[in-house]
Amino acid sequence: MMVSRRAAALTAHAPAIAAAHLRVERDPYDPQRNPGGYLNLGTAENRLVWDLLADKVTAARNIEPRDVRYGPLHGSPQLRAATSRLLSKTWHAKVDPDHLVVVSGASAALDIVASVLCDPGEAIVVAAPYYSALDVLLTGRSGARLIPAPLSGATGFSLDARAVERAIDQARKDGVTVRAVAITSPCNPTGNVHSLAALRDVLAVAERHDLDVIADEIYANSVFGDEPFVSVLDPRLRGGNRVHVIWGFAKDFGLSGLKVGVLHTEHPEVLEAATALAYFAPVSTDTQALLTNLLADHEWVDGFLKENRARLADSYRNAAACLAEQGIPHVRPGAGFTVWTDLSRWLGEGTENQLWHRVLDEARVNLIPGTAFGSPAPGWFRLCHTTDPGHVHEALRRVGGLS
Amino acid sequence: MMVSRRAAALTAHAPAIAAAHLRVERDPYDPQRNPGGYLNLGTAENRLVWDLLADKVTAARNIEPRDVRYGPLHGSPQLRAATSRLLSKTWHAKVDPDHLVVVSGASAALDIVASVLCDPGEAIVVAAPYYSALDVLLTGRSGARLIPAPLSGATGFSLDARAVERAIDQARKDGVTVRAVAITSPCNPTGNVHSLAALRDVLAVAERHDLDVIADEIYANSVFGDEPFVSVLDPRLRGGNRVHVIWGFAKDFGLSGLKVGVLHTEHPEVLEAATALAYFAPVSTDTQALLTNLLADHEWVDGFLKENRARLADSYRNAAACLAEQGIPHVRPGAGFTVWTDLSRWLGEGTENQLWHRVLDEARVNLIPGTAFGSPAPGWFRLCHTTDPGHVHEALRRVGGLS
C-alpha cells in the first residue's frame, strides 16, 4: 500500500457524480452553438447576482502591508467583527466575534467541527435527505460515521425530531457511540425552512441524549418563501453552548469560489480546538480584506441580500412553472437554490441509479440523484435552478420527454 | 471529555512560544515612542519587499464571474500552469501543472503529504534542527510522529545522510514503522543550502530503506549566498516519484498572509489522495487570480526575485555585523530570513528555557529557542533579520548586554 488507509478510503469515495460533472462541463448546452449539449443543474451555485457583485470584487483593493503578512489563522479581527455584525442580524442573536472561527470554506468548517467532536468510529446522526457532501466532509478526515435519520416523504421531508430520536436509539442498540446531531437549516436539498417548534424539538432530543448539535445554516440569508428563517441560535430556543453553527459566503453572497466559511461555537473547548485546526485551513488575508470591505458597506449588504432573495423567488417560480408544465411533482422550497424533484414515475422496474443514467445520457441533463443525499425514498433528484431560466426550461422539457 | 482525543492533543501543543509572540506584539519597540518595547525577531517573515509588491496587490482586479465560482479545489488550471513555469526555473526541472496541488498554505501542504503517507503511529525522520512548526504540521492531523535526526554542530549542522540513516536504524530497532524522511531545503532555521552531494546521499538512504522523501523548499528562491540552490527534483538526482516537494508564496514572494502553498508529487496515488485532501483546504479563487496575474508578468517576477535576493543578502550582512559587534557566533546562512545564533555562552549552569526567558524578559527580545527546532545542542536561537535593520541592531545590543 502506497498511501495511508485513511487517504485510500477518501479517494475511494463517490467518483460517479464527480465524473458526471466533469463530462457535463466539457460539452455544455448553448441554445445556438450547442443545442444538444449537456445542461448542468447539478451544482448548487447562485449565478443570478454577478452584476450586483462585480464592482465590489473587481475594484482596486485597499490592501495594507499587514494584509499580506501573517494574521490570526482563524480569521482577522476585522473580518470576524464584520461577520458577527451580519450574523447577529441573520440569527437574531448577539454574535461575539471571538466565537467565530473563519476557515477556507464551510466545507472545512464542517470537517473541523466533526474532527473536534468525534473520535474515529463515533457517529453523527443527520436528518435525511441531507447535503450530499456531508458524507465526505463530516467523516473523511475525522473518521466519524454518518447515520441518516430518514424524514418522511408524506410530510414533504420536513424536519422531525422523532425521526432523529429513532436513529439515535437504533444506533445505540447497534452499539455505536453517537456524538452529535447534524441538520442543514434551511434544508439542502429540499429547501425546507424549519419552524421554531421543529428546531426546539430537535434541540431537546439532542440535549436529552447528551449530544452536540451541528447546524449548517449556509442558506440562512437565501430564504424567499413564507416561512421565516429561524436559527438554532435564536434566543427563544436557548440552545446552550453545545449547538455549533456553520455559515459561509458561498451561497448568500454567491461567492462560492472564495471558499470562506465560518464556525460559530460558544463552547470554550470546542472553540479552542477549532481554532487550532483552523491552522490547517486558513483563508487568504487578501480575500479576508475584500470581504471585510464588502460587509462594511451596510447599505449595500442589505440591498444585495434583499435583491438576492427576490431573484431567488423569481428563479424558483420559473422552475416551478417548468415542472408543472411537465407534470413533475416537487417539494415547495422556502429557501436555497434547489428544488427536490420527484421523478419516481420514470423509475418503472429500475433503480434510481439507472434512472440517473437515463437523465444524464438520454436527456443530457445533470441532476444529482437522491441516493447522494441519503434520500429515504427512491426517484427523487435535486435540481438547481439558480442559472439561466431558459436552461432550466430546456432541461425539464428534456426530462419530461423521457419515455 | 468534551472534544475528541486528537483535538485535545492538538490544543495541548506548545503554547509557550505562541504566548510569547502575543505578548511581544502587544508592546512593540519603537525608537522614539516606545524605546523599551519588545523587539520581535521571532517571526520568519520578509518585511523588506512591500514596496515592490504594493502596485500589484492593490490594483483593480481582473476578476471574471468564473473567478468567484467553484473551481477545481486543488488550484485553478491557470495558477497551476503559471506556478509550474516558475518552479521549472527554480527547480531546473520540467514541472507538469498536473503534478501540483495548490492548497491554503505550505502548512496545509505539509499536513496533507503527512496524512497521505502515514497512518497514525508511523514515523517521519526529520533532519534536525528543523522548521519548528513541523512538530504540529506533520503530526497534528495525520497522527504520525516525528523522529529527529540530529546534525552535528561541528559541521555547522550541515545535512548529513549518515545522521538520517542512524535515526532510521534506531527507530526500527525501537519497533517504529518509519514511512518517510523530511528535510527543509534550504534549511530553516540554519539557512544552510544543501549541496548536490548531500542531497544525493539523503535520497539514496531513503531509497535503500524504502522511504518517501518530503522536502520543504519554501525558501528556494530566497538564496543569496555562494552555494547555488539544488532542488531534490534536480534531474541530476533522479529522485523518482517518491520525492514530494512543498513550496509556497509566503517566503519567496513575501506574501505570508495569502497562505498559498503547493505540493508537487509525481506519484499517482499520492497525487490522487492529496487532491482529495485539498478539498478541505482550498485557496480563494480571488487570491488565485491575483497570483496568476502576478506570475504572468515574467519580467516583473525575474526582477522581483533578483531584488529580493539582493535585499536578503544586505539584511543578513547587517545582522552579521551586529552579531560580530557583540561577539556572538552564528552559522553563516546561504538562504532564508534567519540566522542560527549561538547564545550558549549565556547558558551558564541554566537551561535553554531559562535563557530564553532571560532574552524575552530582560532583553525584551523575541527569539525562538533551539528546543522548538529539535536542536541537537542547547543554547542556539533562531533570529529573523528580515525587518528594520535598526531593530536588529537594537535587539542584539540588548542580548549582548545580558549579564
Side-chain angles (χ1 to χ4, degrees):
Chain A
M1 174 123 98
M2 285 309 303
V3 299
S4 65
R5 286 187 292 272
R6 197 175 22 202
L10 197 57
T11 51
H13 212 284
I17 288 171
H21 179 82
L22 286 179
R23 177 158 35 126
V24 164
E25 289 290 299
R26 261 188 244 113
D27 181 19
Y29 168 79
D30 182 281
Q32 270 77 49
R33 289 191 304 271
N34 192 18
Y38 282 101
L39 287 143
N40 182 14
L41 305 185
T43 313
E45 198 158 51
N46 184 351
R47 302 198 167 191
L48 308 173
V49 291
W50 171 248
D51 60 308
L52 306 174
L53 292 163
D55 282 356
K56 291 278 184 193
V57 175
T58 59
R61 302 284 174 98
N62 183 20
I63 300 274
E64 310 268 332
R66 71 151 192 231
D67 294 317
V68 301
R69 291 189 186 149
Y70 288 118
L73 294 174
H74 65 299
S76 71
Q78 294 79 15
L79 179 58
R80 284 186 286 119
T83 305
S84 75
R85 278 195 302 273
L86 173 75
L87 293 178
S88 295
K89 283 176 93 166
T90 307
W91 292 341
H92 306 290
K94 181 94 193 71
V95 176
D96 182 339
D98 288 338
H99 293 153
L100 297 178
V101 177
V102 176
V103 290
S104 60
S107 303
L110 286 160
D111 161 45
I112 286 172
V113 74
S115 296
V116 167
L117 295 176
C118 302
D119 278 306
E122 295 180 343
I124 299 170
V125 165
V126 56
Y130 56 81
Y131 168 45
S132 56
L134 293 185
D135 270 335
V136 171
L137 296 173
L138 292 178
T139 73
R141 295 213 69 173
S142 70
R145 45 184 293 193
L146 276 197
I147 295 178
L151 302 171
S152 167
T155 62
F157 305 97
S158 65
L159 184 61
D160 177 3
R162 288 164 306 177
V164 171
E165 188 154 37
R166 276 195 298 273
I168 295 167
D169 289 339
Q170 185 58 49
R172 292 197 162 158
K173 271 187 207 142
D174 297 342
V176 175
T177 301
V178 179
R179 194 64 188 75
V181 170
I183 58 170
T184 58
S185 175
C187 179
N188 172 9
T190 65
N192 282 330
V193 177
H194 309 313
S195 68
L196 183 73
L199 292 169
R200 178 176 284 138
D201 291 348
V202 169
L203 296 192
V205 164
E207 194 176 352
R208 196 153 63 237
H209 290 270
D210 192 27
L211 304 178
D212 287 58
V213 173
I214 302 167
D216 178 347
E217 297 191 350
I218 197 162
Y219 289 98
N221 282 300
S222 297
V223 174
F224 55 80
D226 302 328
E227 183 83 27
F229 173 70
V230 179
S231 171
V232 289
L233 297 177
D234 190 289
R236 291 171 289 174
L237 289 169
R238 304 169 192 251
N241 71 4
R242 292 183 65 186
V243 176
H244 319 290
V245 185
I246 283 89
W247 182 79
F249 289 85
K251 309 301 182 184
D252 291 346
F253 284 88
L255 293 169
S256 43
L258 271 54
K259 300 300 295 177
V260 180
V262 176
L263 171 67
H264 176 277
T265 180
E266 297 179 10
H267 193 287
E269 283 173 82
V270 174
L271 182 63
E272 187 188 8
T275 303
L277 280 165
Y279 190 27
F280 300 90
V283 177
S284 166
T285 47
D286 173 51
T287 290
Q288 291 192 59
L290 168 69
L291 294 175
T292 303
N293 180 57
L294 198 85
L295 293 180
D297 189 345
H298 299 199
E299 202 180 326
W300 180 88
V301 169
D302 290 345
F304 173 85
L305 293 176
K306 193 177 166 195
E307 177 65 16
N308 182 42
R309 284 190 294 267
R311 291 186 186 186
L312 290 174
D314 282 349
S315 177
Y316 163 63
R317 266 194 295 274
N318 170 67
C322 300
L323 286 160
E325 202 174 293
Q326 304 299 331
I328 300 173
H330 72 280
V331 174
R332 183 185 168 86
F337 305 167
T338 62
V339 177
W340 189 236
T341 304
D342 180 6
L343 301 185
S344 60
R345 86 166 194 253
W346 281 276
L347 271 178
E349 300 296 301
T351 64
E352 184 176 280
N353 193 49
Q354 287 166 332
L355 176 54
W356 176 50
H357 278 287
R358 288 182 61 208
V359 172
L360 192 63
D361 299 338
E362 294 174 33
R364 296 171 74 79
V365 172
N366 187 32
L367 301 178
I368 313 284
T371 325
F373 305 93
S375 174
W380 291 82
F381 286 72
R382 191 188 74 170
L383 176 160
C384 177
H385 58 78
T386 45
T387 184
D388 186 319
H391 288 211
V392 176
H393 188 261
E394 169 68 8
L396 285 167
R397 197 191 59 73
R398 292 187 192 176
V399 171
L402 284 173
S403 56
Chain B
M1 175 122 97
M2 285 309 303
V3 300
S4 65
R5 286 188 292 274
R6 198 175 20 201
L10 198 55
T11 50
H13 212 283
I17 287 171
H21 180 82
L22 286 178
R23 175 155 39 125
V24 164
E25 289 290 300
R26 262 189 241 112
D27 181 21
Y29 167 79
D30 182 280
Q32 269 76 49
R33 287 191 305 271
N34 191 19
Y38 283 101
L39 287 143
N40 183 13
L41 305 185
T43 314
E45 197 157 55
N46 184 351
R47 303 197 165 191
L48 308 173
V49 291
W50 171 249
D51 61 307
L52 305 174
L53 292 163
D55 283 355
K56 291 279 183 193
V57 174
T58 60
R61 303 283 174 98
N62 183 21
I63 300 275
E64 310 268 330
R66 73 151 189 231
D67 293 318
V68 301
R69 291 188 187 150
Y70 288 119
L73 294 174
H74 65 298
S76 71
Q78 293 78 15
L79 180 56
R80 283 186 286 118
T83 305
S84 76
R85 277 195 303 273
L86 172 74
L87 292 178
S88 294
K89 282 177 93 167
T90 307
W91 292 341
H92 306 290
K94 181 95 193 69
V95 176
D96 183 339
D98 288 337
H99 293 152
L100 296 178
V101 178
V102 175
V103 290
S104 60
S107 302
L110 286 160
D111 162 45
I112 286 172
V113 74
S115 296
V116 167
L117 294 177
C118 300
D119 278 306
E122 294 181 343
I124 299 170
V125 165
V126 57
Y130 55 82
Y131 169 44
S132 55
L134 293 184
D135 270 334
V136 170
L137 296 173
L138 292 178
T139 74
R141 295 213 68 171
S142 69
R145 47 183 291 192
L146 277 197
I147 294 178
L151 302 172
S152 167
T155 61
F157 305 96
S158 66
L159 184 62
D160 176 3
R162 288 165 306 178
V164 171
E165 189 155 37
R166 276 194 299 272
I168 296 166
D169 288 339
Q170 185 59 48
R172 293 198 160 157
K173 269 185 209 145
D174 296 342
V176 175
T177 301
V178 179
R179 193 63 189 75
V181 170
I183 58 170
T184 57
S185 175
C187 178
N188 173 7
T190 64
N192 282 329
V193 177
H194 308 313
S195 68
L196 182 73
L199 292 170
R200 177 177 284 137
D201 291 348
V202 169
L203 296 192
V205 164
E207 195 177 350
R208 195 154 65 237
H209 291 270
D210 193 27
L211 304 178
D212 287 58
V213 173
I214 302 168
D216 178 347
E217 296 190 351
I218 197 163
Y219 289 99
N221 282 300
S222 298
V223 175
F224 55 80
D226 302 328
E227 183 82 28
F229 173 69
V230 179
S231 170
V232 289
L233 297 176
D234 191 291
R236 289 171 291 175
L237 289 169
R238 304 168 192 252
N241 71 4
R242 293 184 65 185
V243 177
H244 319 290
V245 184
I246 283 89
W247 182 79
F249 288 85
K251 309 301 183 184
D252 291 346
F253 282 89
L255 293 169
S256 42
L258 271 53
K259 299 300 296 177
V260 180
V262 177
L263 171 67
H264 176 278
T265 179
E266 298 179 9
H267 192 288
E269 284 173 81
V270 174
L271 181 63
E272 187 188 9
T275 303
L277 281 165
Y279 190 28
F280 300 90
V283 177
S284 166
T285 47
D286 173 52
T287 291
Q288 291 193 57
L290 168 69
L291 294 176
T292 302
N293 180 56
L294 198 85
L295 293 180
D297 189 344
H298 299 198
E299 202 180 326
W300 180 88
V301 169
D302 289 346
F304 173 86
L305 293 176
K306 192 176 165 196
E307 177 64 18
N308 183 42
R309 283 190 294 269
R311 292 185 186 187
L312 290 173
D314 283 349
S315 178
Y316 163 63
R317 264 194 297 272
N318 170 66
C322 300
L323 286 160
E325 204 175 291
Q326 305 300 333
I328 300 172
H330 72 279
V331 173
R332 184 187 167 84
F337 305 167
T338 61
V339 178
W340 190 234
T341 303
D342 180 5
L343 301 186
S344 59
R345 84 165 194 252
W346 281 276
L347 271 178
E349 300 297 301
T351 65
E352 184 176 278
N353 194 50
Q354 288 167 330
L355 175 54
W356 176 51
H357 278 287
R358 289 181 63 206
V359 172
L360 193 63
D361 300 337
E362 295 174 34
R364 296 171 72 81
V365 172
N366 187 33
L367 301 178
I368 313 284
T371 324
F373 304 93
S375 174
W380 291 81
F381 285 71
R382 191 188 75 170
L383 176 160
C384 177
H385 58 78
T386 47
T387 186
D388 185 319
H391 289 211
V392 176
H393 187 260
E394 170 67 8
L396 286 168
R397 197 190 59 74
R398 293 187 192 176
V399 171
L402 284 174
S403 57

